[in-house]
Amino acid sequence: MIKLQSNHFTVMVIPPATSYGPVDSRKYTLSNSNSHSTPVLTISTADHKVANNEDMLTAEWMPKLGEYVLSVKINVGGEEITEDIAEQRFQTIHSMLPEMLSLIIKSDYALFKHVPWLLDASIYVQNDSCYPRLCTLEKLGTPRKYLNGY
């Protein structure tokens, strides 16, 4: 996995998503490109898979109990890899997670200017794996925390 840097980062906004909305079902997919070393962030309203890319994480704005939450999902490995490799991937992604979230939040800054109450919405991170001990759900603060520097 590569280190994320904001100056070496591609953001694609796929219509009907714009810089200002919609918030409902707004999805983010952070991927590593297999053809070049630049991470790609896709902002869309539908599941969008970029060819030849490996997803690092996906996130979506969802209403929950009358408030929006940013639900982040990370697939740390399935049956195709061993538990040791899945554990290593889990540790690597979690060490980079604050930086990944910060890049996503900063890349969609115009949305937060248009809908400022999202800055105080909760961020939940769910790790999916076929290995039960790697399946976790944790709350990681709010977008405001990552906008101001984690």
CSV table of all heavy atoms in Angstrom, one decimal, residues 51-98:
chain,number,residue,atom,x,y,z
A,51,ALA,N,-12.2,0.8,-13.2
A,51,ALA,CA,-11.5,-0.4,-13.7
A,51,ALA,C,-10.1,-0.4,-13.2
A,51,ALA,O,-9.4,0.6,-13.1
A,51,ALA,CB,-11.6,-0.4,-15.2
A,52,ASN,N,-9.6,-1.6,-12.9
A,52,ASN,CA,-8.2,-1.8,-12.5
A,52,ASN,C,-7.8,-1.2,-11.2
A,52,ASN,O,-6.6,-0.9,-11.0
A,52,ASN,CB,-7.2,-1.4,-13.7
A,52,ASN,CG,-7.4,-2.2,-14.9
A,52,ASN,OD1,-7.8,-3.4,-14.9
A,52,ASN,ND2,-7.3,-1.5,-16.1
A,53,ASN,N,-8.8,-0.9,-10.4
A,53,ASN,CA,-8.4,-0.3,-9.1
A,53,ASN,C,-8.8,-1.2,-8.0
A,53,ASN,O,-9.8,-1.9,-8.0
A,53,ASN,CB,-9.2,1.0,-8.9
A,53,ASN,CG,-8.6,2.2,-9.7
A,53,ASN,OD1,-7.6,2.0,-10.5
A,53,ASN,ND2,-9.1,3.3,-9.6
A,54,GLU,N,-8.0,-1.1,-6.9
A,54,GLU,CA,-8.3,-1.9,-5.7
A,54,GLU,C,-8.8,-1.0,-4.6
A,54,GLU,O,-8.2,0.0,-4.3
A,54,GLU,CB,-7.0,-2.5,-5.2
A,54,GLU,CG,-7.1,-3.2,-3.8
A,54,GLU,CD,-5.8,-3.6,-3.2
A,54,GLU,OE1,-4.7,-3.5,-3.9
A,54,GLU,OE2,-5.8,-3.9,-2.0
A,55,ASP,N,-10.1,-1.2,-4.2
A,55,ASP,CA,-10.7,-0.3,-3.2
A,55,ASP,C,-10.0,-0.5,-1.8
A,55,ASP,O,-9.8,-1.6,-1.3
A,55,ASP,CB,-12.2,-0.6,-3.0
A,55,ASP,CG,-13.0,-0.3,-4.2
A,55,ASP,OD1,-12.5,0.4,-5.1
A,55,ASP,OD2,-14.2,-0.7,-4.3
A,56,MET,N,-9.6,0.7,-1.2
A,56,MET,CA,-9.1,0.7,0.1
A,56,MET,C,-10.2,0.9,1.1
A,56,MET,O,-10.2,0.3,2.2
A,56,MET,CB,-8.0,1.8,0.3
A,56,MET,CG,-6.8,1.6,-0.6
A,56,MET,SD,-5.4,2.6,-0.2
A,56,MET,CE,-5.9,4.2,-0.6
A,57,LEU,N,-11.2,1.8,0.8
A,57,LEU,CA,-12.3,1.9,1.6
A,57,LEU,C,-13.4,2.6,0.9
A,57,LEU,O,-13.2,3.2,-0.2
A,57,LEU,CB,-12.0,2.8,2.9
A,57,LEU,CG,-11.6,4.3,2.7
A,57,LEU,CD1,-12.9,5.1,2.6
A,57,LEU,CD2,-10.9,4.7,4.0
A,58,THR,N,-14.7,2.4,1.4
A,58,THR,CA,-15.8,3.0,0.8
A,58,THR,C,-16.5,3.7,2.0
A,58,THR,O,-16.4,3.3,3.2
A,58,THR,CB,-16.8,2.0,0.2
A,58,THR,OG1,-17.2,1.0,1.1
A,58,THR,CG2,-16.2,1.4,-1.0
A,59,ALA,N,-17.2,4.8,1.7
A,59,ALA,CA,-17.9,5.6,2.8
A,59,ALA,C,-19.2,6.1,2.1
A,59,ALA,O,-19.3,6.3,0.9
A,59,ALA,CB,-17.1,6.7,3.3
A,60,GLU,N,-20.2,6.3,3.0
A,60,GLU,CA,-21.5,6.8,2.5
A,60,GLU,C,-22.2,7.6,3.6
A,60,GLU,O,-22.2,7.2,4.8
A,60,GLU,CB,-22.4,5.6,2.1
A,60,GLU,CG,-23.8,6.0,1.6
A,60,GLU,CD,-24.6,4.8,1.2
A,60,GLU,OE1,-24.1,3.7,1.2
A,60,GLU,OE2,-25.7,5.1,0.8
A,61,TRP,N,-22.8,8.7,3.2
A,61,TRP,CA,-23.6,9.5,4.1
A,61,TRP,C,-25.0,8.8,4.2
A,61,TRP,O,-25.6,8.6,3.2
A,61,TRP,CB,-23.8,11.0,3.6
A,61,TRP,CG,-22.6,11.8,3.8
A,61,TRP,CD1,-21.7,12.2,2.9
A,61,TRP,CD2,-22.1,12.3,5.1
A,61,TRP,NE1,-20.7,12.9,3.4
A,61,TRP,CE2,-20.9,13.0,4.8
A,61,TRP,CE3,-22.5,12.2,6.4
A,61,TRP,CZ2,-20.2,13.6,5.8
A,61,TRP,CZ3,-21.8,12.8,7.4
A,61,TRP,CH2,-20.6,13.5,7.1
A,62,MET,N,-25.4,8.5,5.5
A,62,MET,CA,-26.7,7.9,5.7
A,62,MET,C,-27.4,8.5,6.8
A,62,MET,O,-26.8,8.9,7.8
A,62,MET,CB,-26.4,6.4,6.1
A,62,MET,CG,-25.5,5.6,5.1
A,62,MET,SD,-25.1,4.0,5.7
A,62,MET,CE,-26.5,3.1,5.1
A,63,PRO,N,-28.7,8.6,6.7
A,63,PRO,CA,-29.5,9.1,7.8
A,63,PRO,C,-29.7,8.0,8.9
A,63,PRO,O,-29.9,6.9,8.5
A,63,PRO,CB,-30.9,9.5,7.2
A,63,PRO,CG,-30.9,8.7,5.9
A,63,PRO,CD,-29.5,8.4,5.5
A,64,LYS,N,-29.5,8.4,10.1
A,64,LYS,CA,-29.6,7.4,11.2
A,64,LYS,C,-30.2,8.1,12.4
A,64,LYS,O,-29.6,9.1,12.9
A,64,LYS,CB,-28.3,6.8,11.6
A,64,LYS,CG,-28.4,5.6,12.5
A,64,LYS,CD,-27.0,5.0,12.6
A,64,LYS,CE,-27.2,3.6,13.3
A,64,LYS,NZ,-26.1,2.8,13.2
A,65,LEU,N,-31.4,7.7,12.8
A,65,LEU,CA,-32.2,8.3,13.9
A,65,LEU,C,-32.3,9.9,13.7
A,65,LEU,O,-32.1,10.6,14.7
A,65,LEU,CB,-31.5,8.0,15.2
A,65,LEU,CG,-31.4,6.5,15.6
A,65,LEU,CD1,-30.6,6.3,16.8
A,65,LEU,CD2,-32.9,5.9,15.7
A,66,GLY,N,-32.6,10.3,12.5
A,66,GLY,CA,-32.8,11.7,12.2
A,66,GLY,C,-31.6,12.5,12.0
A,66,GLY,O,-31.7,13.8,11.8
A,67,GLU,N,-30.4,11.9,12.1
A,67,GLU,CA,-29.1,12.7,11.8
A,67,GLU,C,-28.3,11.9,10.8
A,67,GLU,O,-28.5,10.7,10.6
A,67,GLU,CB,-28.3,12.8,13.1
A,67,GLU,CG,-29.0,13.6,14.2
A,67,GLU,CD,-28.1,13.6,15.4
A,67,GLU,OE1,-27.0,13.0,15.5
A,67,GLU,OE2,-28.5,14.4,16.4
A,68,TYR,N,-27.4,12.6,10.1
A,68,TYR,CA,-26.6,12.0,9.2
A,68,TYR,C,-25.3,11.4,9.9
A,68,TYR,O,-24.8,12.0,10.8
A,68,TYR,CB,-26.1,12.9,8.1
A,68,TYR,CG,-27.1,13.2,7.0
A,68,TYR,CD1,-27.8,14.4,7.0
A,68,TYR,CD2,-27.4,12.2,6.0
A,68,TYR,CE1,-28.8,14.6,6.0
A,68,TYR,CE2,-28.3,12.5,5.0
A,68,TYR,CZ,-29.0,13.6,5.0
A,68,TYR,OH,-29.9,13.9,4.1
A,69,VAL,N,-24.9,10.2,9.4
A,69,VAL,CA,-23.6,9.7,9.8
A,69,VAL,C,-22.8,9.3,8.6
A,69,VAL,O,-23.4,9.0,7.5
A,69,VAL,CB,-23.8,8.4,10.7
A,69,VAL,CG1,-24.5,8.8,12.0
A,69,VAL,CG2,-24.5,7.3,10.0
A,70,LEU,N,-21.5,9.3,8.7
A,70,LEU,CA,-20.7,8.9,7.6
A,70,LEU,C,-20.3,7.4,8.0
A,70,LEU,O,-19.5,7.2,8.9
A,70,LEU,CB,-19.4,9.8,7.5
A,70,LEU,CG,-18.5,9.4,6.3
A,70,LEU,CD1,-19.2,9.5,5.0
A,70,LEU,CD2,-17.3,10.3,6.3
A,71,SER,N,-20.8,6.5,7.2
A,71,SER,CA,-20.5,5.1,7.4
A,71,SER,C,-19.4,4.6,6.5
A,71,SER,O,-19.5,4.7,5.3
A,71,SER,CB,-21.8,4.3,7.1
A,71,SER,OG,-21.6,2.9,7.2
A,72,VAL,N,-18.3,4.2,7.1
A,72,VAL,CA,-17.1,3.8,6.4
A,72,VAL,C,-16.9,2.3,6.5
A,72,VAL,O,-17.1,1.8,7.5
A,72,VAL,CB,-15.8,4.5,6.9
A,72,VAL,CG1,-14.6,4.1,6.2
A,72,VAL,CG2,-16.0,6.0,6.9
A,73,LYS,N,-16.7,1.7,5.3
A,73,LYS,CA,-16.5,0.2,5.3
A,73,LYS,C,-15.1,-0.1,4.7
A,73,LYS,O,-14.8,0.5,3.7
A,73,LYS,CB,-17.6,-0.5,4.5
A,73,LYS,CG,-18.9,-0.4,5.2
A,73,LYS,CD,-20.0,-1.2,4.5
A,73,LYS,CE,-21.3,-1.0,5.3
A,73,LYS,NZ,-22.4,-1.6,4.7
A,74,ILE,N,-14.5,-1.0,5.4
A,74,ILE,CA,-13.2,-1.4,4.9
A,74,ILE,C,-13.2,-2.9,4.8
A,74,ILE,O,-13.5,-3.6,5.8
A,74,ILE,CB,-12.0,-1.0,5.9
A,74,ILE,CG1,-12.0,0.5,6.1
A,74,ILE,CG2,-10.7,-1.5,5.4
A,74,ILE,CD1,-11.1,1.0,7.2
A,75,ASN,N,-12.8,-3.5,3.7
A,75,ASN,CA,-12.7,-4.9,3.5
A,75,ASN,C,-11.3,-5.3,3.7
A,75,ASN,O,-10.4,-5.0,2.9
A,75,ASN,CB,-13.2,-5.3,2.1
A,75,ASN,CG,-13.2,-6.8,1.9
A,75,ASN,OD1,-12.8,-7.6,2.8
A,75,ASN,ND2,-13.7,-7.3,0.8
A,76,VAL,N,-11.0,-5.9,4.9
A,76,VAL,CA,-9.6,-6.3,5.2
A,76,VAL,C,-9.2,-7.7,4.7
A,76,VAL,O,-8.1,-8.0,4.9
A,76,VAL,CB,-9.3,-6.1,6.7
A,76,VAL,CG1,-9.4,-4.7,7.1
A,76,VAL,CG2,-10.3,-7.0,7.5
A,77,GLY,N,-10.1,-8.4,4.1
A,77,GLY,CA,-9.7,-9.6,3.5
A,77,GLY,C,-10.8,-10.7,3.6
A,77,GLY,O,-11.5,-10.8,4.6
A,78,GLY,N,-10.8,-11.5,2.6
A,78,GLY,CA,-11.8,-12.6,2.6
A,78,GLY,C,-11.0,-13.9,2.6
A,78,GLY,O,-9.9,-14.0,3.0
A,79,GLU,N,-11.7,-15.0,2.2
A,79,GLU,CA,-11.1,-16.3,2.2
A,79,GLU,C,-10.0,-16.5,1.3
A,79,GLU,O,-9.2,-17.5,1.4
A,79,GLU,CB,-12.2,-17.3,1.9
A,79,GLU,CG,-13.3,-17.4,3.0
A,79,GLU,CD,-14.4,-18.3,2.6
A,79,GLU,OE1,-14.4,-18.9,1.6
A,79,GLU,OE2,-15.3,-18.4,3.5
A,80,GLU,N,-9.8,-15.6,0.3
A,80,GLU,CA,-8.7,-15.7,-0.7
A,80,GLU,C,-7.3,-15.4,-0.1
A,80,GLU,O,-6.3,-15.7,-0.7
A,80,GLU,CB,-9.0,-14.8,-1.9
A,80,GLU,CG,-8.8,-13.3,-1.7
A,80,GLU,CD,-10.1,-12.6,-1.0
A,80,GLU,OE1,-11.1,-13.3,-0.8
A,80,GLU,OE2,-10.0,-11.4,-0.8
A,81,ILE,N,-7.3,-14.8,1.1
A,81,ILE,CA,-6.0,-14.5,1.8
A,81,ILE,C,-6.0,-15.1,3.2
A,81,ILE,O,-7.1,-15.4,3.8
A,81,ILE,CB,-5.7,-13.0,1.9
A,81,ILE,CG1,-6.8,-12.3,2.7
A,81,ILE,CG2,-5.6,-12.4,0.5
A,81,ILE,CD1,-6.5,-10.8,3.0
A,82,THR,N,-4.8,-15.3,3.7
A,82,THR,CA,-4.7,-16.0,5.0
A,82,THR,C,-5.0,-15.0,6.1
A,82,THR,O,-5.0,-13.7,5.9
A,82,THR,CB,-3.3,-16.5,5.2
A,82,THR,OG1,-2.4,-15.4,5.3
A,82,THR,CG2,-2.8,-17.5,4.1
A,83,GLU,N,-5.2,-15.5,7.3
A,83,GLU,CA,-5.6,-14.6,8.4
A,83,GLU,C,-4.4,-13.7,8.8
A,83,GLU,O,-4.6,-12.5,9.1
A,83,GLU,CB,-6.0,-15.4,9.6
A,83,GLU,CG,-6.5,-14.6,10.8
A,83,GLU,CD,-7.1,-15.5,11.9
A,83,GLU,OE1,-7.1,-16.7,11.8
A,83,GLU,OE2,-7.6,-14.9,12.9
A,84,ASP,N,-3.2,-14.2,8.6
A,84,ASP,CA,-2.0,-13.3,8.9
A,84,ASP,C,-1.9,-12.1,8.0
A,84,ASP,O,-1.6,-11.0,8.4
A,84,ASP,CB,-0.7,-14.1,8.8
A,84,ASP,CG,-0.6,-15.1,10.0
A,84,ASP,OD1,-1.2,-14.9,11.0
A,84,ASP,OD2,0.1,-16.1,9.8
A,85,ILE,N,-2.2,-12.4,6.7
A,85,ILE,CA,-2.1,-11.3,5.7
A,85,ILE,C,-3.3,-10.3,6.0
A,85,ILE,O,-3.1,-9.1,5.9
A,85,ILE,CB,-2.2,-11.9,4.3
A,85,ILE,CG1,-0.9,-12.6,4.0
A,85,ILE,CG2,-2.4,-10.7,3.2
A,85,ILE,CD1,-0.9,-13.4,2.7
A,86,ALA,N,-4.5,-10.9,6.3
A,86,ALA,CA,-5.6,-10.0,6.6
A,86,ALA,C,-5.3,-9.1,7.8
A,86,ALA,O,-5.6,-7.9,7.9
A,86,ALA,CB,-6.9,-10.8,6.9
A,87,GLU,N,-4.6,-9.7,8.8
A,87,GLU,CA,-4.2,-9.0,10.0
A,87,GLU,C,-3.3,-7.8,9.7
A,87,GLU,O,-3.4,-6.7,10.2
A,87,GLU,CB,-3.6,-9.9,11.1
A,87,GLU,CG,-3.0,-9.2,12.3
A,87,GLU,CD,-4.0,-8.7,13.2
A,87,GLU,OE1,-5.1,-9.2,13.3
A,87,GLU,OE2,-3.6,-7.7,13.9
A,88,GLN,N,-2.3,-8.2,8.8
A,88,GLN,CA,-1.3,-7.2,8.4
A,88,GLN,C,-2.0,-6.0,7.6
A,88,GLN,O,-1.7,-4.9,7.8
A,88,GLN,CB,-0.3,-7.8,7.5
A,88,GLN,CG,0.8,-6.9,7.1
A,88,GLN,CD,1.9,-7.6,6.2
A,88,GLN,OE1,1.6,-8.7,5.7
A,88,GLN,NE2,3.0,-7.0,6.2
A,89,ARG,N,-3.0,-6.4,6.7
A,89,ARG,CA,-3.7,-5.4,6.0
A,89,ARG,C,-4.5,-4.5,7.0
A,89,ARG,O,-4.6,-3.3,6.8
A,89,ARG,CB,-4.6,-6.0,5.0
A,89,ARG,CG,-5.4,-5.1,4.2
A,89,ARG,CD,-6.2,-5.7,3.1
A,89,ARG,NE,-7.1,-4.8,2.5
A,89,ARG,CZ,-7.4,-4.6,1.3
A,89,ARG,NH1,-6.8,-5.4,0.4
A,89,ARG,NH2,-8.2,-3.7,0.9
A,90,PHE,N,-5.2,-5.1,7.9
A,90,PHE,CA,-5.9,-4.4,9.0
A,90,PHE,C,-5.1,-3.4,9.7
A,90,PHE,O,-5.5,-2.2,9.8
A,90,PHE,CB,-6.5,-5.5,10.0
A,90,PHE,CG,-7.3,-4.9,11.1
A,90,PHE,CD1,-8.6,-4.6,11.0
A,90,PHE,CD2,-6.7,-4.6,12.3
A,90,PHE,CE1,-9.4,-4.1,12.0
A,90,PHE,CE2,-7.4,-4.1,13.4
A,90,PHE,CZ,-8.7,-3.8,13.2
A,91,GLN,N,-3.9,-3.8,10.1
A,91,GLN,CA,-3.0,-2.9,10.8
A,91,GLN,C,-2.5,-1.7,9.9
A,91,GLN,O,-2.5,-0.6,10.3
A,91,GLN,CB,-1.8,-3.6,11.4
A,91,GLN,CG,-2.1,-4.7,12.4
A,91,GLN,CD,-2.7,-4.1,13.6
A,91,GLN,OE1,-2.5,-2.9,14.0
A,91,GLN,NE2,-3.6,-4.9,14.3
A,92,THR,N,-2.2,-2.1,8.7
A,92,THR,CA,-1.7,-1.0,7.7
A,92,THR,C,-2.8,0.0,7.4
A,92,THR,O,-2.6,1.2,7.5
A,92,THR,CB,-1.3,-1.7,6.4
A,92,THR,OG1,-0.3,-2.7,6.7
A,92,THR,CG2,-0.8,-0.7,5.4
A,93,ILE,N,-4.0,-0.5,7.1
A,93,ILE,CA,-5.1,0.4,6.8
A,93,ILE,C,-5.4,1.3,8.1
A,93,ILE,O,-5.7,2.5,7.9
A,93,ILE,CB,-6.4,-0.3,6.3
A,93,ILE,CG1,-6.1,-0.9,4.9
A,93,ILE,CG2,-7.6,0.6,6.3
A,93,ILE,CD1,-7.2,-1.8,4.4
A,94,HIS,N,-5.4,0.7,9.3
A,94,HIS,CA,-5.8,1.5,10.5
A,94,HIS,C,-4.7,2.5,10.8
A,94,HIS,O,-5.0,3.5,11.4
A,94,HIS,CB,-6.1,0.5,11.6
A,94,HIS,CG,-7.5,0.2,11.7
A,94,HIS,ND1,-8.4,0.8,12.4
A,94,HIS,CD2,-8.2,-0.8,11.0
A,94,HIS,CE1,-9.6,0.3,12.2
A,94,HIS,NE2,-9.5,-0.7,11.4
A,95,SER,N,-3.5,2.2,10.4
A,95,SER,CA,-2.5,3.3,10.7
A,95,SER,C,-2.6,4.4,9.7
A,95,SER,O,-2.3,5.6,10.0
A,95,SER,CB,-1.1,2.7,10.5
A,95,SER,OG,-0.8,2.3,9.2
A,96,MET,N,-3.2,4.2,8.5
A,96,MET,CA,-3.4,5.2,7.5
A,96,MET,C,-4.8,5.8,7.6
A,96,MET,O,-5.1,6.8,6.9
A,96,MET,CB,-3.2,4.6,6.1
A,96,MET,CG,-1.8,4.2,5.8
A,96,MET,SD,-1.6,3.3,4.3
A,96,MET,CE,-2.5,4.2,3.1
A,97,LEU,N,-5.7,5.3,8.4
A,97,LEU,CA,-7.1,5.7,8.4
A,97,LEU,C,-7.3,7.2,8.7
A,97,LEU,O,-8.1,7.9,8.0
A,97,LEU,CB,-7.9,4.8,9.3
A,97,LEU,CG,-9.4,4.9,9.2
A,97,LEU,CD1,-9.9,4.6,7.8
A,97,LEU,CD2,-10.0,3.9,10.2
A,98,PRO,N,-6.7,7.8,9.7
A,98,PRO,CA,-6.9,9.2,9.9
A,98,PRO,C,-6.5,10.1,8.7
A,98,PRO,O,-7.2,11.0,8.4
A,98,PRO,CB,-5.9,9.5,11.1
A,98,PRO,CG,-5.8,8.2,11.8
A,98,PRO,CD,-5.8,7.2,10.7
